[in-house]
Amino acid sequence: MIRSNFKSALSLLTLLSIVFSTYAQDDGAMGDTLKVKKKTSTISVTNLFNTGSMYYFTGVVSNNKPSFDTKFVYDNLRHNWGVLFFKSFDLIDRNEAINYSLIVLNKRYFIGSRIIISPQAGTQLNQIGTIAGPGTDFLTNLSINYKFAKNMSISNDAVMQNLVLTNRANWTNRIKLQYQKESFLISADVWHRNRIFNNPGYLSVGTFLRYSGIKLNSVMNLVITYSQIKILNADTPRKNGMMISAGIGF
C-alpha cells in the first residue's frame, strides 16, 4: 500500500513538472514580445511530501502518518478573481480522512492599498475509495486582510463548512499574523471553532514557516515548510502535532 501511494504521488509530481517546465519554456521562446506585455494572470503549483497530516487552514491535526499534497492556484490579475485546487492523500492508508480534495473560487475587492476583502466559495470532496464520498459538502470563507507594514499583514478568515449536504455545519475563525519577505514566510495563527451550529468547539494556536528560495532551474524552486498546531481547549479530544514538508514549487 505504501509503495502504491508513493508511486501515485511521484507520478503526479513528475507529470506536473513536465507540463509546467514546457509551459515556462514556451513562454521564454516569445522573447521580448512578452516583456512589453502586462501580466494579466499567474499560475502556481506546489507539491509537498509531509511527515504528518494536518488541516492547517482550520487548525486541526489529522494524524502523524506521512502524506502528499498538491496545490494549483490560478489568479486573474485583471479582474481580481482566482481558483484553487488542492488534493491531499495519506501515503500509507487510503481510508484515512486526509484523503480529500478542495475546489474553491475567490473574488478580491481592494479598499485602498492596504485592505483586501475576499469572499470564497467551493466544495470539499471526501475521497475515501471514491471521487466524492460521504462527507462531501460545500463551504464558504470570508477573508479580510490588512497590510499594516511593508512585509507584514494581519488577516481573519471566517470559514463555514458542511453547509448543505451533511447537516454538520461548522464555523471556524482563523486570525493570522504574517511576515513575508521574498522567499521567506512566517506566520502565527489562532483558530477558534465556535458552537453556533451546536457542534463541538475548540481553540488552537500554531506557527508556519516556509522557505522557497532555492532554485532548481528557471521555473522550479525547492520548497521547505514547518507547521505546528497546539490545542489550548477543546470540547472533544484533539491532537497536537508538528509537520515538516519538502517538495517543489513552480
Side-chain angles (χ1 to χ4, degrees):
M1 177 65 73
I2 298 176
R3 181 174 298 178
S4 174
N5 289 348
F6 181 81
K7 285 183 177 180
S8 298
L10 192 59
S11 298
L12 179 59
L13 178 59
T14 302
L15 177 61
L16 290 169
S17 301
I18 294 171
V19 170
F20 280 88
S21 295
T22 304
Y23 171 81
Q25 290 169 5
D26 289 344
D27 275 359
M30 297 296 290
D32 294 337
T33 304
L34 283 181
K35 293 180 181 179
V36 299
K37 291 183 177 179
K38 185 178 180 180
K39 184 180 289 188
T40 59
S41 63
T42 62
I43 295 175
S44 65
V45 178
T46 306
N47 305 290
L48 294 175
F49 289 94
N50 313 296
T51 60
S53 300
M54 290 182 177
Y55 304 98
Y56 196 82
F57 198 71
T58 52
V60 176
V61 176
S62 179
N63 57 58
N64 59 1
K65 297 178 183 178
S67 62
F68 172 84
D69 61 64
T70 183
K71 180 173 68 175
F72 170 93
V73 178
Y74 170 80
D75 272 321
N76 187 302
L77 304 178
R78 177 179 296 175
H79 301 293
N80 296 318
W81 66 272
V83 60
L84 161 74
F85 173 76
F86 181 85
K87 173 71 180 98
S88 171
F89 58 87
D90 193 296
L91 289 175
I92 295 178
D93 189 352
R94 290 286 178 88
N95 294 315
E96 289 285 349
I98 202 68
N99 296 286
Y100 74 98
S101 294
L102 285 176
I103 304 172
V104 180
L105 299 173
N106 71 79
K107 176 69 176 176
R108 296 180 296 278
Y109 299 93
F110 294 83
I111 301 177
S113 59
R114 294 181 178 270
I115 300 176
I116 302 174
I117 299 176
S118 177
Q120 304 166 18
T123 185
Q124 176 173 326
L125 308 174
N126 286 356
Q127 297 178 319
I128 300 176
T130 182
I131 293 177
T136 292
D137 211 330
F138 296 95
L139 60 90
T140 64
N141 177 38
L142 179 62
S143 176
I144 302 174
N145 183 286
Y146 174 62
K147 186 175 183 179
F148 60 89
K150 181 180 179 181
N151 302 112
M152 297 192 70
S153 64
I154 187 168
S155 62
N156 180 77
D157 290 275
V159 186
M160 294 189 182
Q161 299 170 289
N162 304 318
L163 292 176
V164 179
L165 304 175
T166 60
N167 295 318
R168 293 189 292 108
N170 57 67
W171 179 353
T172 307
N173 273 70
R174 178 183 72 165
I175 298 174
K176 177 172 69 174
L177 178 65
Q178 177 175 294
Y179 172 85
Q180 182 172 11
K181 185 175 182 180
E182 297 176 349
S183 302
F184 177 76
L185 181 150
I186 181 171
S187 72
D189 303 75
V190 179
W191 298 271
H192 175 241
R193 175 163 294 178
N194 58 53
R195 303 169 180 84
I196 289 177
F197 295 105
N198 298 317
N199 277 336
Y202 61 84
L203 177 67
S204 60
V205 295
T207 55
F208 177 81
L209 291 85
R210 184 186 72 200
Y211 182 70
S212 56
I214 302 175
K215 281 195 169 292
L216 301 178
N217 60 30
S218 60
V219 295
M220 289 192 298
N221 292 349
L222 178 65
V223 180
I224 301 172
T225 74
Y226 170 84
S227 313
Q228 185 174 29
I229 293 174
K230 180 175 178 59
I231 302 296
L232 300 182
N233 180 270
D235 295 341
T236 57
R238 292 185 179 273
K239 303 174 184 177
N240 300 323
M242 61 83 66
M243 185 172 77
I244 296 173
S245 307
I248 296 174
F250 302 88

